[in-house]
Amino acid sequence: QVQLVESGGGLVQAGGSLRLSCAASGNIRSINGMRWYRQAPGKQRELVAAITSGGSTNYADSVKGRFTISRDNAKNTVYLQMNSLKPEDTAVYYCYADVSPYNSPVLYNYWGQGTQVTVSS
């Protein structure tokens, strides 16, 4: 079993910054892709940013130039640095990981519990 634990959410004024962290633990041989999603009230969950095991990144158009995804493979942790935050960034942010466990060649995907980010105008 694998657990993803997010931290770093909170309340911030528009134009401010937050850094989210997501640490994976448990039966982990390696982690392939890691991603951040978000879900605002009444809206579908959307992909915010993704990073491969090699460090290649991809971003939603709405956050390009403002958000940066990174990872520390030694710590099985992914980060999301969010700058120039806008009220429309308000959402619950979830991390996601594709995990290869020690006892299986199959990739399993896991989700964190979510962390609230609220941006006031």
Side-chain angles (χ1 to χ4, degrees), residues 37-92:
Y37 288 81
R38 68 185 180 188
Q39 187 166 19
K43 294 188 177 181
Q44 288 188 329
R45 191 171 297 189
E46 63 173 350
L47 177 64
V48 175
I51 186 168
T52 67
S53 57
S56 296
T57 59
N58 192 33
Y59 297 93
D61 288 343
S62 59
V63 307
K64 281 181 181 177
R66 300 188 298 121
F67 290 11
T68 302
I69 188 171
S70 60
R71 63 190 285 174
D72 184 332
N73 291 331
K75 296 182 178 179
N76 289 330
T77 299
V78 63
Y79 306 95
L80 186 67
Q81 178 66 44
M82 304 184 295
N83 299 329
S84 302
L85 282 161
K86 304 175 181 180
E88 50 263 44
D89 294 319
T90 295
V92 179

